[in-house]
Amino acid sequence: MLSLSCRATRITPVALIAFAVSHLISPAPAAAEKPSPAAVVSTYADIAAASFADSHTAAVALQKKIDALLANPSEEALAAARGAWIAAREPYMQTEVFRFGNKLVDDWEGKVNAWPLDEGLIDYVSRAYTEADTQENEAYAINVIANKTLKIAGETIDASKITPQLLVRSLHEAGGVEANVATGYHAIEFLLWGQDLNGTGKGAGTRPATDFDPRNCTGGHCDRRADYLRVATNLLVDQLKLMAGHWSAAGVARRDALKGDGNAGLVALFTGLGSLTYGELAGERMKLGLMIHDPEEEHDCFSDNTHNSHFFNAVGIRNIYLGSYTRLDGSKVSGPSVSDLVRAKSPELDARIRADIDETMRRMTAMVERARTVEAYDQMIGEDNAEGNAVVQAVIDQLAVQARAFEQAIAVLGIQGVAIMGSDSLDSPTKVLDGQKG
C-alpha cells in the first residue's frame, strides 16, 4: 500500500536558521482591550488570502523552471526545478493550518498535497517495488507514462494523451484508493527526484535529466513523462489560484469564516491550531514514523525536504496565533490576533502560549540544523539512532505541550464546538504497534 522509496538530497540554506531565530516571539505586551471575534477572523482570512496567493506565486516560479527543463533538459535545469519545488513548499506549508476546521479547504487539499502515493501509478519504479507481494492497490505499478491503455477497478481507461482530465478524473484516487495520487506537489516531486531506495540509510533518488529528453531518452517514454510533469504543474498552479480567490475579499471561504460575527471562524481557527499541532504534525507526521522507524512516513519523501515541511507547518501555526504573516516580498499582513484575544482574558496564559511557541520553533530549528549538517530526516527516525530519534521526539513533546496550551485558551475564551484531531500514535501507541505486527 505504501511506496518503497521516499528520499532525495536537500541541503537547507543557513538563511532558514536565521529566519527561525529572527522570528522568535517578542515579549507579550500588557493586558489589552479585547478585540472582536470578527476582527480576529478578518486577520485570519487576510493571512489565508496572502499565504495562498504566495503559494500560487511560488508555483508559477516552479512552472517556469519546469518549462525550462522540458525545453532543454540538463542536470542544471533539473537542479533549478528541484530548487523551485522546495521553495514553493515554504509558503504552502504555512497554509495547512487552514485545512482543519474549513471543510472547503479540507475537501480541496487532496488535489494538491495528498500523500503518501504509490508512485508506480505514475512512472517506472524498481523491480523490488513492482514485485512486492504486500500491495493492496491493484494500480500501484500500473505506470501511466509507459502505458496508453489502463484498467483500474474493472474500468478501461484511455491514456493515449496525458491531459488534465486523465489525471484528475481517471487517475487521481482511482478505484477509491487514496494512494492513487496523480496530481499535486508530491506527484511533481516524484517526477523531479524519482525513487529513493536507501531506506533510512544515506542516499537519495537519482532520476537523471535525460528522463525528460526525447533526443537522449533514459527511462523510456520521455515525451509522455514531460507531458505528465507539465500537466501536473499547470494543474497545481490553477488550484492554488482558485484557493487564493476563495479567501479574497469576495471569496466564499472568507464569507463562511465570518458567519455569526466571526464566531464560526473562531471555531475553525482553533480547530486548525490544535489539530495541526497535535494530531496531524506531532502524531501522524512525526510520531508514527518515529515509532515504526519507517522512511515512508516522511511528508516530502522523495526530496528529503520533510524537516522543512514540519518547520513551516509550525511557522503557519505561529502566524495565526500572532495574527502576522511575512509575505514572499517581505511585506507583512497583520491585525487583531488570537494572542490579543487570549491576553485580554488572561495575560499569563498568553505569555505561556507565546513561550511554548518559541520553544517549539527552537526545537524545530535544531531539527532543521541537524538535517542540514548531520543527517536527513529519514535517517533521524531510523532504528538504532538514539541521538536522531531524540531530536525528533523533542519536537513532538513540545508540540504536545503547545496543544494543551491551546486547549486551555479555548476553555478560557469559552469557545464551543472545537474538535481537535487526535492520533493513535500519541493516544493509543500499542494499537499502532499491534497493527504493525499484524
Side-chain angles (χ1 to χ4, degrees):
M1 173 170 120
L2 295 178
S3 58
L4 294 178
S5 68
C6 268
R7 242 178 85 19
T9 302
R10 163 61 171 156
I11 302 298
T12 304
V14 175
L16 182 60
I17 310 302
F19 175 94
V21 173
S22 67
H23 284 68
L24 292 177
I25 300 172
S26 59
E33 183 178 346
K34 181 180 177 181
S36 69
V40 173
V41 173
S42 289
T43 302
Y44 170 78
D46 289 343
I47 293 174
S51 53
F52 279 114
D54 280 352
S55 298
H56 173 254
T57 296
V60 170
L62 168 63
Q63 184 181 45
K64 291 177 180 177
K65 294 297 184 183
I66 285 175
D67 285 346
L69 166 66
L70 300 182
N72 186 21
S74 69
E75 291 303 319
E76 293 76 16
L78 178 57
R82 289 173 173 172
W85 185 91
I86 289 169
R89 294 295 280 167
E90 295 185 7
Y92 178 77
M93 295 311 290
Q94 294 176 66
T95 72
E96 289 211 293
V97 69
F98 301 102
R99 172 186 166 194
F100 303 94
N102 293 290
K103 188 175 186 302
L104 183 148
V105 181
D106 195 36
D107 289 346
W108 165 89
E109 185 267 350
K111 299 174 184 176
V112 300
N113 197 44
W115 74 288
L117 70 160
D118 281 349
E119 60 262 36
L121 170 81
I122 298 172
D123 200 4
Y124 70 87
V125 288
S126 71
R127 178 173 292 183
Y129 178 97
T130 59
E131 293 178 352
D133 60 4
T134 58
Q135 296 289 348
E136 299 174 4
N137 174 18
E138 66 170 335
Y140 80 102
I142 205 165
N143 192 350
V144 64
I145 285 173
N147 295 287
K148 296 184 178 181
T149 301
L150 311 172
K151 193 167 186 178
I152 303 176
E155 179 185 354
T156 299
I157 298 170
D158 177 7
S160 56
K161 293 184 178 180
I162 306 292
T163 65
Q165 292 74 21
L166 174 68
L167 269 56
V168 172
R169 298 178 184 174
S170 300
L171 296 180
H172 195 65
E173 296 188 355
V177 178
E178 290 185 356
N180 286 333
V181 176
T183 65
Y185 286 103
H186 297 296
I188 297 168
E189 180 190 11
F190 168 56
L191 286 169
L192 290 176
W193 271 272
Q195 283 191 301
D196 163 42
L197 303 174
N198 299 292
T200 55
K202 185 177 181 180
T206 56
R207 185 187 295 281
T210 47
D211 268 12
F212 301 101
D213 188 353
R215 297 161 297 184
N216 182 31
C217 184
T218 53
H221 314 285
C222 287
D223 54 341
R224 285 174 62 83
R225 186 172 298 108
D227 287 345
Y228 197 118
L229 180 56
R230 184 181 295 107
V231 170
T233 304
N234 293 346
L235 283 169
L236 177 66
V237 169
D238 290 346
Q239 286 294 331
L240 290 168
K241 182 178 182 179
L242 175 69
M243 186 52 66
H246 286 330
W247 287 98
S248 66
V252 62
R254 179 186 293 265
R255 188 167 65 247
D256 287 348
L258 285 166
K259 285 179 181 176
D261 295 324
N263 289 310
L266 279 185
V267 172
L269 185 157
F270 274 103
T271 298
L273 289 176
S275 296
L276 181 56
T277 296
Y278 188 72
E280 185 69 12
L281 185 52
E284 296 307 298
R285 296 190 183 179
M286 298 189 72
K287 185 61 176 179
L288 176 59
L290 183 59
M291 285 176 64
I292 62 178
H293 306 293
D294 187 352
E296 303 307 317
E297 296 299 332
E298 292 190 87
H299 198 143
D300 292 358
C301 57
F302 305 110
S303 60
D304 219 9
N305 185 55
T306 298
H307 55 283
N308 285 331
S309 276
H310 294 344
F311 177 90
F312 283 104
N313 270 168
V315 171
I317 292 164
R318 183 180 60 187
N319 293 344
I320 298 309
Y321 188 77
L322 292 184
S324 180
Y325 168 66
T326 302
R327 300 203 62 173
L328 291 178
D329 63 6
S331 64
K332 286 189 181 291
V333 175
S334 61
S337 68
V338 184
S339 177
D340 296 334
L341 204 59
V342 174
R343 189 166 61 254
K345 278 279 190 177
S346 173
E348 298 78 13
L349 178 57
D350 175 58
R352 191 187 332 145
I353 293 174
R354 292 163 72 95
D356 286 342
I357 292 173
D358 266 357
E359 183 59 27
T360 295
M361 296 314 304
R362 288 189 186 97
R363 296 187 187 193
M364 281 283 188
T365 300
M367 183 179 71
V368 169
E369 177 67 5
R370 185 177 181 87
R372 188 182 73 85
T373 60
V374 180
E375 62 188 358
Y377 183 85
D378 56 358
Q379 293 174 275
M380 286 186 223
I381 65 173
E383 200 166 7
D384 299 323
N385 183 357
E387 188 174 314
N389 286 187
V391 170
V392 176
Q393 184 62 54
V395 178
I396 295 167
D397 291 342
Q398 181 56 30
L399 286 168
V401 169
Q402 181 174 299
R404 287 193 292 272
F406 286 148
E407 288 179 334
Q408 291 176 330
I410 293 165
V412 164
L413 295 173
I415 299 171
Q416 303 295 318
V418 177
I420 293 177
M421 172 183 168
S423 167
D424 282 346
S425 302
L426 298 172
D427 305 325
S428 304
T430 55
K431 183 188 298 185
V432 175
L433 295 174
D434 288 345
Q436 289 294 311
K437 294 173 185 176

